[in-house]
């Protein structure tokens, strides 16, 4: 079962569909091995979510050999997608597993990254489960790099080594992402978001400055739970302080439920052999029917821009793809249907270039991720706009009030010109 990297990669044949595991679990050694064989291959199609680390198969020199399809666009494939050397498959994160289980997308070779096997022959997918279970159920060949530094997590992360066709020994650190530095503007946004979170809430958040800052503002809260597609280092302090207990959840009570994580070695040490952490199939984690059963679900998501009717663009800058649909709508809808739930879009009022992120109309070609019918709370450093049940004129006024003061007059003027039904 154990083979050299070169022998393992010889199993990849021209014409293959290849899956590469997500995020910090992206198997770096297997990717390097694949690239060493690349010149002898043709017509390779790669399917992946966002991955950390290297993605040389998306480089211009390999575009005649590799066709890359992303379910979410990360920094290592963004340029390739924007230059049409790679592509993006738009889909709710909760629905991606069905593409594999129904064999709409068949996988010939799955490249994964696992922990060492235990005395019973089981290993763990560690920091990234998400869509992997659905792939492994139908992949013709599974090649795993086995790494003693991969944390052992539970739930759907546990797989038996008999499922794996070839194992390759590696010993290297798991890819890390340092927490972003928090600035005053971010703290003001976070304080506004935290003011909406009640004791006993079940939280969904991603990674980045705003989610990390929100978590820092929750140290005085009680009985919080976590049910989120992903998480990072920010939860550790709240668990250790007894703030995150999961005792009010209805689904997986007392457990931190997630599907993948990106963070530092501190996070990976925290989750290693930690029975509080359940890493589950994204089809379960992001299932609206499951999400809504937890009480007071607070979904905290971001946006690239929002128009004055409440349409949220979160995946593109105009027609230029930037990220993806991801799980935003899964959790926005789930939070909306949860008893006492609060779907929140949190963002700075300005872009890094000083442009307003609240706009009269979305840019030409911009995609709507959260529709105006699904939006509830919009939060910036200037306040909170509650749009649910509001008419179009009321929405425009509320959004202008939380826009940057330098842009409020122009937004008001533009709203008159843009449409007769706004302010």
């Amino acid at each position: 079962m154990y083979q050299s990297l070169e022998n393992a990669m010889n199993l990849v044949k021209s014409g293959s569909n290849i899956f590469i595991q997500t995020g910090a679990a992206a198997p770096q050694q297997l990717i390097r091995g694949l690239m060493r064989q690349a010149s002898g291959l043709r017509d390779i199609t790669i399917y992946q979510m966002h991955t950390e680390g290297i993605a040389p198969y998306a480089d211009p020199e390999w575009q005649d050999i590799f066709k890359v399809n992303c379910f979410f666009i990360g920094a290592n494939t963004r340029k390739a997608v924007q230059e049409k050397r790679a592509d993006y498959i738009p889909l709710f994160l909760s629905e991606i597993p069905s593409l594999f289980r129904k064999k709409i997308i068949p996988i010939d070779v799955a490249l994964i990254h696992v922990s060492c096997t235990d005395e019973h022959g089981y290993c763990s997918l560690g920091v990234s489960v998400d869509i992997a279970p659905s792939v492994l159920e139908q992949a013709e060949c599974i090649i795993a790099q086995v790494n003693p530094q991969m944390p052992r997590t539970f739930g759907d992360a546990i797989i038996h080594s008999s499922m794996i066709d070839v194992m390759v020994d590696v010993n290297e650190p798991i890819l890390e992402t340092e927490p972003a530095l928090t600035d005053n503007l971010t703290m003001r946004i976070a304080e506004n978001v935290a003011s909406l979170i009640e004791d006993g809430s079940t939280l969904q958040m991603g990674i980045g400055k705003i989610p990390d800052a929100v978590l820092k503002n929750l140290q005085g809260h009680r009985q919080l739970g976590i049910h989120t597609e992903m998480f990072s280092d920010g939860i550790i302090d709240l668990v250790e302080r007894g703030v995150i207990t999961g005792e009010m959840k209805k689904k997986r009570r007392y457990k931190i439920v997630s599907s993948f994580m990106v963070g530092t070695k501190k996070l990976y040490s925290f989750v290693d052999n930690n029975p509080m952490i359940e890493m589950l199939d994204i089809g379960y984690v992001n299932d609206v029917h499951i999400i809504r059963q937890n009480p007071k679900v607070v979904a905290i998501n971001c946006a690239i821009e929002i128009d004055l009717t409440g349409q949220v663009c979160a995946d593109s800058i105009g027609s230029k793809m930037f990220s993806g649909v991801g799980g935003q709508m899964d959790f926005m809808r789930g939070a909306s249907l949860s008893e006492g739930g609060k779907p929140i879009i949190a963002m700075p009022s300005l872009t890094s270039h000083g442009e307003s992120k609240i706009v009269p109309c979305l840019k030409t070609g911009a995609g709507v991720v959260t529709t105006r019918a699904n939006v509830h709370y919009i939060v910036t450093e200037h306040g909170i706009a509650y749009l649910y049940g509001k008419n179009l004129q009321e929405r425009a006024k509320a959004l202008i009030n939380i826009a940057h003061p330098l842009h409020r007059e122009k937004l008001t003027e533009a709203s008159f010109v843009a449409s007769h039904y706004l302010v």
Side-chain angles (χ1 to χ4, degrees):
M1 184 177 292
Y2 279 93
Q3 293 191 22
S4 67
L5 180 60
E6 182 180 356
N7 287 342
M9 290 300 103
N10 282 335
L11 295 173
V12 178
K13 306 300 181 184
S14 292
S16 293
N17 286 352
I18 297 177
F19 166 76
I20 295 177
Q21 197 175 347
T22 302
Q28 304 297 285
Q29 287 291 356
L30 298 186
I31 293 170
R32 293 186 185 99
L34 176 65
M35 298 313 298
R36 291 190 195 118
Q37 309 281 78
S39 59
L41 297 171
R42 293 291 181 272
D43 301 321
I44 300 294
T45 303
I46 289 178
Y47 292 93
Q48 64 173 58
M49 294 244 293
H50 158 84
T51 62
E52 298 291 325
I54 60 172
Y57 43 80
D59 292 345
E61 64 188 287
W62 301 109
Q63 60 184 323
D64 293 333
I65 294 174
F66 294 101
K67 179 181 179 181
V68 182
N69 287 296
C70 305
F71 295 108
F72 195 90
I73 304 163
N76 58 8
T77 58
R78 187 169 295 126
K79 185 177 180 181
V81 171
Q82 292 174 352
E83 293 179 353
K84 312 301 182 186
R85 291 181 283 104
D87 217 331
Y88 164 63
I89 300 174
L91 199 65
F92 294 144
L93 192 46
S94 59
E95 295 186 27
I96 297 174
S98 67
L99 289 178
F100 300 108
R101 291 194 167 109
K102 295 177 181 178
K103 297 196 174 180
I104 295 170
I105 297 177
I107 295 297
D108 298 298
V109 181
L111 304 182
I112 65 172
H113 190 172
V114 299
S115 70
C116 294
T117 55
D118 64 15
E119 64 271 26
H120 304 292
Y122 286 93
C123 52
S124 174
L125 293 166
V127 299
S128 178
V129 172
D130 53 90
I131 64 175
S134 61
V135 171
L136 301 184
E137 287 167 17
Q138 59 103 342
E140 293 294 327
C141 177
I142 299 171
I143 303 174
Q145 66 173 51
V146 181
N147 187 356
Q149 298 192 52
M150 174 64 80
R152 182 179 178 82
T153 59
F154 301 111
D156 295 331
I158 298 295
I159 62 172
H160 197 269
S161 56
S162 61
M163 290 181 61
I164 300 169
D165 295 284
V166 177
M167 292 180 164
V168 177
D169 266 327
V170 304
N171 190 345
E172 62 184 18
I174 306 304
L175 296 166
E176 296 184 51
T177 299
E178 292 291 333
L181 296 175
T182 302
D183 51 40
N184 289 334
L185 182 147
T186 304
M187 285 305 296
R188 286 160 58 195
I189 299 170
E191 288 166 3
N192 289 334
V193 172
S195 72
L196 296 171
I197 298 173
E198 303 173 51
D199 289 344
S201 293
T202 303
L203 306 182
Q204 175 262 327
M205 81 297 290
I207 65 169
K209 288 197 296 185
I210 293 176
D212 285 349
V214 171
L215 291 170
K216 289 177 183 176
N217 276 274
L218 299 179
Q219 294 178 1
H221 283 61
R222 299 174 60 250
Q223 299 175 320
L224 298 180
I226 301 290
H227 184 111
T228 181
E229 67 193 39
M230 67 179 301
F231 67 97
S232 191
D233 292 61
I235 70 161
I236 300 173
D237 180 61
L238 295 183
V239 173
E240 292 176 345
R241 289 174 180 267
V243 173
I244 292 174
T245 63
E247 63 191 276
M248 304 303 291
K249 293 171 63 181
K250 297 293 177 63
K251 304 295 290 184
R252 309 288 216 221
R253 196 177 181 208
Y254 301 114
K255 301 292 186 180
I256 291 174
V257 171
S258 189
S259 206
F260 62 103
M261 68 188 80
V262 178
T264 67
K265 188 174 181 179
K266 179 182 179 182
L267 176 68
Y268 305 148
S269 296
F270 172 76
V271 302
D272 186 36
N273 277 311
N274 187 340
M276 188 181 190
I277 311 297
E278 282 200 336
M279 301 293 287
L280 302 177
D281 188 316
I282 203 70
Y284 175 91
V285 175
N286 282 44
D287 186 335
V288 171
H289 174 69
I290 299 297
I291 297 166
R292 69 180 296 181
Q293 293 181 59
N294 283 316
K296 301 180 183 177
V297 173
V298 178
I300 305 166
N301 288 279
C302 62
I304 290 173
E305 61 178 2
I306 298 173
D307 75 12
L308 289 177
T309 73
Q311 294 188 113
V312 178
C313 173
D315 64 351
S316 67
I317 302 172
S319 59
K320 185 178 290 188
M321 293 307 306
F322 185 80
S323 54
V325 172
Q328 182 170 122
M329 265 305 301
D330 296 330
F331 277 94
M332 292 293 283
R333 186 66 177 151
S336 175
L337 296 172
S338 161
E339 184 176 352
K342 295 175 181 177
I344 299 170
I345 297 291
M347 64 178 193
S349 63
L350 298 176
T351 70
S352 58
H353 301 294
E355 299 172 352
S356 179
K357 297 188 75 164
I358 296 173
V359 295
C361 299
L362 299 180
K363 291 181 176 66
T364 301
V368 175
V369 172
T370 296
T371 73
R372 58 170 71 99
N374 294 106
V375 73
H376 285 230
Y377 294 90
I378 307 295
V379 178
T380 73
E381 71 274 24
H382 299 292
I384 302 168
Y386 184 59
L387 305 186
Y388 189 65
K390 301 287 178 64
N391 64 37
L392 296 175
Q393 293 184 41
E394 291 168 336
R395 285 169 175 239
K397 289 176 182 176
L399 287 166
I400 291 170
N401 284 338
I402 65 165
H404 195 281
L406 292 176
H407 291 272
R408 289 176 190 171
E409 184 176 350
K410 288 184 179 179
L411 284 170
T412 303
E413 292 172 358
S415 68
F416 278 110
V417 175
S419 177
H420 68 279
Y421 54 71
L422 295 181
V423 178

